[in-house]
Amino acid sequence: MKLFTVKNVAMPSMIWTAMSLLAGAPAFSQKAVPLKNQPLFTRFNYQGNDRVYADNPLREGEFYSPILQGCYPDPSITRKGNDYYLVNSSFSMVPGVPIFHSTDLVNWKQLGHVLDRPSQLKVEKAGISAGIYAPDIKYNPHNNTFYMITTQIAGGIGNMVVKTQDPAKGWSDPVKLKFDGIDPSLFFDDNGKAYVVHNDAPPRGKALYNGHRVIKIWEYDVANDAVIEGTDQIIVDGGVDITQKPIWIEGPHLYKRNGRYYLMCAEGGTGGWHSEVIFVGDSPKGPFKPANNNPILTQRYFPKDRGNKVDWAGHADLVEGPVGKYYGVFLAVRPNEKGRVNTGRETFILPVDWSGEFPVFENGLVPLKVRTNMPAGVSNQAGRNGFLPNGNFSFTDELTASRLDHKWIGVRGAREQFITSTKEGVRINPFPVSIKATAPTSTLFYRQQHAHFEATVQLNYTPATDKDLAGLVCYQKETFHYVFGITKKGNDLFVVLERTENGKSTIAGSEKLVAGSAVQLKVAAQGDAYIFAYSTDGKQFKTIGGVVSGDILSTDVAGGFTGALIGLYATSANDVQVP
């Protein structure tokens, strides 16, 4: 997990408050409303139009990075034979922890999600930036088992682990682990011994400055899935050089190479000072010596106004790729032209040079480029043969399949609690809560994956009262979002646009709607400039509210750790008041 910073000042207090206050909640339930009042969504289309891809067409032997566009932060990767598996933080998104598979580190398919059952995920009352932080995936060859260890800041769970022998066939229920802190990672040594490393607070009364953290290690009992009491010790205090007051040493991973142990961590907090650093020792418990060329990955030294800016690089994980070549996955952001981050922290990949004592991300200490050279012998199949698209792709979903695409998620509650898949499209059973609630809402979400994009959906819907609304939302969190939908005032139908900033809502525009026909709703963005429009004939679109700012959809304004989401939304507790 990474901590959002403004001007390099970490803001962790909400995390620890959430850790202590959030408790479990029963699954949200809702009685079905009459079918005629259940909106029918069909024919969703998303198109990315970022100029960086148009200006940098791929050449032979290249692929685009980020490999996962949109809110896919805190990547972790592992390998079994020729199979690579990658996971990401999911916070309060449901299902939790998306998992991807590749055989070449270039072409990826989503297998599904690690946490896909209510028994695994307790986020019903969690804010959007609580829930699942910094999952770590590891394969243990000694028992042919995959492990995913993470911190669930919800439901009173804390640090936990799940496991499987086949990542494509489901994971166990969580085992709670008895230690504090965040960002746990497992390490399985050649001799079969196992360890957990994680971020934690310094001993009580020993914190020297705001952001002072430590890395701890525990021995891990594989047979009983528990840390061994009394084996914990601090292996890094503060960071590379505590005299410089480094902040937020976190996201640790242990590796073994040529008989030595390497500890790689993020340092600097998510934000402009983010980086990746590395240490070496002769034992898993250290002592650990920092590399003299730290950081080994960062974007913090370059002009703020550089073109095609990629920033905040860090929170990395390493894997040995084809023919012994190492690669590193990490998070970074691509701000829009106003410098705001709407797409969230994305997953990037770079080759790693480990010809010397320490690994170094190739081209990770210069401004990051959009194109990366592929491993030898690999062909780019992005968007073909079931592999994820990349660059300026489109995604079209008629919403008529019996099972939703993995790209569709809920927030705080499972999609299956409020949707019905039909041959005509997806019907949403409206919950009696609005998008402003810190509760499960009846909303299907798709990640915003470009700064410049257009998304449309067709909606068949006749609200019965002014408490009914259905349409699109652009959502950063429960207190920062746009609602663009159809509701009722008196005997008339209206399409209305509402902006909510820090919990305060204002109407940006509305217009009376002729009843009796399907409506297409559209949101389009050109960086910070968003427009919301509708059409009753599928050809001519009319804008509601003019051009509005996407500022509230950025982490810079809204705070938190997620990217913007585009939602298909319905509610029977509408509070958007038509003027």
Side-chain angles (χ1 to χ4, degrees):
M1 132 93 208
K2 311 313 289 169
L3 291 178
F4 181 74
T5 59
V6 177
K7 296 183 180 178
N8 303 327
V9 177
M11 296 191 294
S13 60
M14 60 84 70
I15 297 176
W16 307 111
T17 301
M19 288 277 291
S20 61
L21 294 181
L22 287 173
F28 188 87
S29 62
Q30 160 67 4
K31 293 182 179 179
V33 301
L35 189 65
K36 64 181 181 180
N37 296 125
Q38 292 185 8
L40 177 70
F41 292 89
T42 191
R43 201 175 304 155
F44 176 84
N45 185 73
Y46 175 94
Q47 175 65 58
N49 297 295
D50 285 345
R51 182 172 177 176
V52 64
Y53 295 116
D55 290 346
N56 293 274
L58 290 176
R59 298 173 296 213
E60 187 70 24
E62 295 179 333
F63 68 105
Y64 287 129
S65 187
I67 52 173
L68 299 178
Q69 295 167 232
C71 181
Y72 293 101
D74 306 331
S76 177
I77 191 168
T78 196
R79 175 183 181 179
K80 178 187 177 183
N82 294 322
D83 294 298
Y84 302 89
Y85 299 91
L86 187 152
V87 295
N88 300 97
S89 290
S90 55
F91 306 101
S92 292
M93 302 171 191
V94 181
V97 186
I99 182 167
F100 304 88
H101 171 259
S102 177
T103 58
D104 54 26
L105 299 172
V106 172
N107 303 295
W108 293 88
K109 293 181 180 180
Q110 185 170 357
L111 297 180
H113 294 80
V114 175
L115 306 178
D116 58 5
R117 304 188 303 278
S119 59
Q120 299 170 309
L121 199 56
K122 305 293 183 183
V123 295
E124 292 91 347
K125 291 185 176 181
I128 186 62
S129 287
I132 299 295
Y133 288 2
D136 168 77
I137 187 171
K138 287 291 187 298
Y139 173 66
N140 183 1
H142 301 285
N143 61 2
N144 188 35
T145 300
F146 292 86
Y147 293 76
M148 192 282 291
I149 187 171
T150 188
T151 312
Q152 183 167 177
I153 300 183
I157 294 176
N159 291 303
M160 53 169 269
V161 65
V162 296
K163 57 186 181 179
T164 184
Q165 290 192 325
D166 186 345
K169 293 185 178 179
W171 295 69
S172 70
D173 279 347
V175 175
K176 291 178 65 173
L177 300 172
K178 295 181 180 179
F179 60 89
D180 296 326
I182 60 172
D183 293 12
S185 174
L186 281 162
F187 171 69
F188 300 105
D189 208 344
D190 300 337
N191 59 10
K193 291 195 70 172
Y195 303 85
V196 171
V197 290
H198 65 96
N199 160 296
D200 206 348
R204 186 179 298 274
K206 300 292 186 181
L208 301 178
Y209 51 88
N210 184 30
H212 179 195
R213 304 292 290 177
V214 303
I215 301 298
K216 276 188 178 178
I217 190 167
W218 299 74
E219 294 180 19
Y220 186 78
D221 181 348
V222 175
N224 296 297
D225 285 313
V227 293
I228 300 174
E229 188 174 350
T231 63
D232 59 309
Q233 66 183 68
I234 294 172
I235 53 177
V236 173
D237 185 4
V240 169
D241 182 357
I242 197 169
T243 67
Q244 300 301 308
K245 298 183 178 180
I247 59 173
W248 288 97
I249 190 78
E250 57 186 353
H253 294 282
L254 264 177
Y255 312 95
K256 189 175 185 180
R257 186 170 184 268
N258 297 333
R260 305 193 80 193
Y261 296 85
Y262 292 83
L263 175 68
M264 192 172 74
C265 306
E267 189 182 275
T270 285
W273 205 246
H274 203 199
S275 70
E276 197 72 14
V277 298
I278 197 158
F279 308 77
V280 67
D282 294 323
S283 161
K285 295 187 175 184
F288 281 98
K289 178 190 74 171
N292 58 13
N293 61 329
N294 278 317
I296 59 173
L297 168 70
T298 192
Q299 293 292 286
R300 66 191 182 200
Y301 298 122
F302 312 120
K304 295 184 181 300
D305 59 352
R306 60 190 184 273
N308 297 328
K309 183 178 180 180
V310 178
D311 211 355
W312 302 10
H315 199 114
D317 197 5
L318 301 178
V319 70
E320 186 176 353
V323 298
K325 176 69 175 178
Y326 278 81
Y327 288 80
V329 292
F330 58 97
L331 72 79
V333 298
R334 297 179 296 159
N336 63 26
E337 82 288 346
K338 290 278 184 77
R340 297 185 180 126
V341 179
N342 289 41
T343 46
R345 297 168 302 154
E346 307 174 291
T347 291
F348 291 69
I349 191 169
L350 280 178
V352 171
D353 181 355
W354 208 337
S355 57
E357 181 180 13
F358 294 102
V360 175
F361 286 76
E362 296 181 16
N363 296 318
L365 296 173
V366 298
L368 289 171
K369 305 295 192 296
V370 66
R371 297 180 302 202
T372 300
N373 291 329
M374 288 190 293
V378 176
S379 63
N380 192 339
Q381 299 186 65
R384 295 177 288 135
N385 302 317
F387 291 102
L388 295 176
N390 206 228
N392 275 337
F393 57 82
S394 63
F395 170 71
T396 300
D397 193 339
E398 296 293 335
L399 299 173
T400 55
S402 58
R403 297 189 66 179
L404 282 173
D405 192 285
H406 293 310
K407 297 180 184 69
W408 293 107
I409 55 171
V411 167
R412 303 185 197 90
R415 304 164 298 183
E416 291 75 18
Q417 293 178 338
F418 59 84
I419 68 162
T420 302
S421 297
T422 75
K423 293 181 180 180
E424 289 75 38
V426 164
R427 288 197 178 275
I428 294 184
N429 180 29
F431 284 173
V433 294
S434 79
I435 199 70
K436 298 168 185 173
T438 306
T441 67
S442 40
T443 318
L444 271 180
F445 286 105
Y446 179 91
R447 292 166 173 86
Q448 180 182 330
Q449 298 179 286
H450 301 79
H452 296 238
F453 76 92
E454 181 175 295
T456 59
V457 70
Q458 182 167 298
L459 173 62
N460 290 70
Y461 180 55
T462 303
T465 74
D466 61 358
K467 293 298 182 183
D468 299 326
L469 180 144
L472 285 173
V473 294
C474 285
Y475 182 88
Q476 235 303 322
K477 62 196 304 185
E478 47 276 6
T479 50
F480 290 84
H481 54 258
Y482 284 101
V483 172
F484 180 53
I486 297 171
T487 188
K488 194 170 187 180
K489 180 181 180 182
N491 294 321
D492 297 320
L493 301 185
F494 284 82
V495 59
V496 61
L497 176 64
E498 180 188 69
R499 171 187 167 99
T500 297
E501 180 176 3
N502 201 23
K504 182 179 180 181
S505 300
T506 56
I507 300 300
S510 65
E511 185 165 306
K512 188 175 177 180
L513 190 64
V514 177
S517 61
V519 175
Q520 281 190 306
L521 301 176
K522 176 171 70 173
V523 56
Q526 299 290 323
D528 188 66
Y530 284 64
I531 64 158
F532 295 84
Y534 77 99
S535 172
T536 55
D537 62 8
K539 298 176 183 178
Q540 300 295 319
F541 280 84
K542 184 166 186 178
T543 300
I544 300 295
V547 177
V548 297
S549 174
D551 55 353
I552 60 171
L553 304 177
S554 70
T555 54
D556 309 74
V557 173
F561 311 124
T562 59
L565 304 174
I566 303 162
L568 313 183
Y569 168 57
T571 180
S572 59
N574 172 46
D575 61 358
V576 179
Q577 299 298 313
V578 178

